[in-house]
Amino acid sequence: MRLRSAHRLATVLATAALLTPVSAGPATAAGGFGPAHHPAGATALRTIGGNFNINGYNWGGYAATGTFSSVAATWSEPTVKCNSRSDLYAPWVGIDGYSSSTVEQTGVATDCSSGSAVYQAWYEMYPAAPVYLSSSSYPVRAGDSIHASVTHTSGSTYTLAISDTTRGWNYSTNKSLSGARNANAEAIIESPPGKYPNFGSLKFTSVTANGSPIGNFSPVAMDPSANGVYEAHASALSGGNSFTMTYSHE
């Protein structure tokens, strides 16, 4: 899911009960995280509480630029109110994507295509398709505490790990991707179609890059927007490693 200014929702199919991860969308969904385009040179700014955030288009959160071997964060899945069946968003952590053409990432997607929020853990080694985890084996519900990390282990190999500490499950996988630059570290919320459901607020904590608070790397703060309207706001970093995304409107 690379940062993009032109929104396109890639349609994917899924079955209701999966025994193993597959490249498909949430169990009731027709929603996937597809191709993206970084709005190079985006300079649109706004001031909220004295903080300047760039226009993140379909991204909101923090992205650092440098050389990174790991990124990690913890968050609590908020209760989501769907504005429409086309709402779709996901909090995630990842390496690359902000200023590079690949993304190695993992998180939880919230899909509203059934009329109510459906949560599903996933990972993606873009440009390959996202892989959604079995909802029966790896269930996620509102209020669950999620920890996710991406680690560059060696060569072109990455370990993507996600756990739901509330429900007591852990998942990790090793994947290879040639051409990845390890140029960014991110903690992000994203809506591929630019249609955020009302998630209230979501707090990322213990956000680290290379094992240190992400604030040590002077990350850029982004507020997501669609059709010229800001949809959420990223707060200032607290302690260099935590921030809150607050929903504004669709």
Side-chain angles (χ1 to χ4, degrees):
M1 291 177 289
R2 288 172 52 214
L3 183 59
R4 60 185 178 174
S5 56
H7 308 300
R8 182 164 71 95
L9 181 60
T11 301
V12 295
L13 301 176
T15 54
L18 304 174
L19 297 180
T20 58
V22 297
S23 298
T28 60
F33 298 89
H37 173 68
H38 170 55
T43 58
L45 301 175
R46 69 166 180 171
T47 305
I48 296 182
N51 301 313
F52 291 86
N53 294 344
I54 71 166
N55 183 351
Y57 296 91
N58 59 324
W59 278 21
Y62 281 80
T65 300
T67 301
F68 298 98
S69 60
S70 68
V71 64
T74 298
W75 66 88
S76 177
E77 281 293 318
T79 299
V80 165
K81 179 181 179 181
C82 297
N83 299 309
S84 72
R85 290 178 181 266
S86 57
D87 289 353
L88 174 68
Y89 98 112
W92 55 263
V93 297
I95 295 175
D96 289 319
Y98 178 74
S99 63
S100 55
S101 60
T102 65
V103 193
E104 306 82 51
Q105 57 193 162
T106 186
V108 176
T110 301
D111 178 82
C112 288
S113 62
S114 67
S116 59
V118 175
Y119 304 85
Q120 194 161 11
W122 59 274
Y123 68 85
E124 184 174 356
M125 297 288 284
Y126 182 83
V131 176
Y132 289 83
L133 306 189
S134 163
S135 292
S136 57
S137 299
Y138 305 99
V140 180
R141 300 290 184 272
D144 288 4
S145 179
I146 304 296
H147 180 76
S149 64
V150 177
T151 304
H152 177 224
T153 53
S154 64
S156 60
T157 303
Y158 295 81
T159 297
L160 303 103
I162 187 166
S163 62
D164 186 322
T165 57
T166 302
R167 301 189 181 276
W169 61 257
N170 299 276
Y171 177 86
S172 67
T173 185
N174 296 318
K175 295 294 179 180
S176 295
L177 179 63
S178 61
R181 293 171 49 201
N182 303 321
N184 309 116
E186 303 116 351
I188 296 294
I189 63 168
E190 178 183 1
S191 175
K195 293 182 68 66
Y196 281 89
N198 186 345
F199 60 85
S201 65
L202 185 154
K203 185 175 183 178
F204 285 94
T205 61
S206 302
V207 184
T208 60
N210 294 345
S212 298
I214 195 170
N216 291 353
F217 302 92
S218 301
V220 63
M222 293 174 284
D223 291 344
S225 71
N227 302 315
V229 177
Y230 283 95
E231 298 177 288
H233 172 61
S235 73
L237 285 171
S238 174
N241 67 356
S242 67
F243 67 95
T244 299
M245 296 298 309
T246 302
Y247 173 84
S248 297
H249 47 73
E250 190 174 65

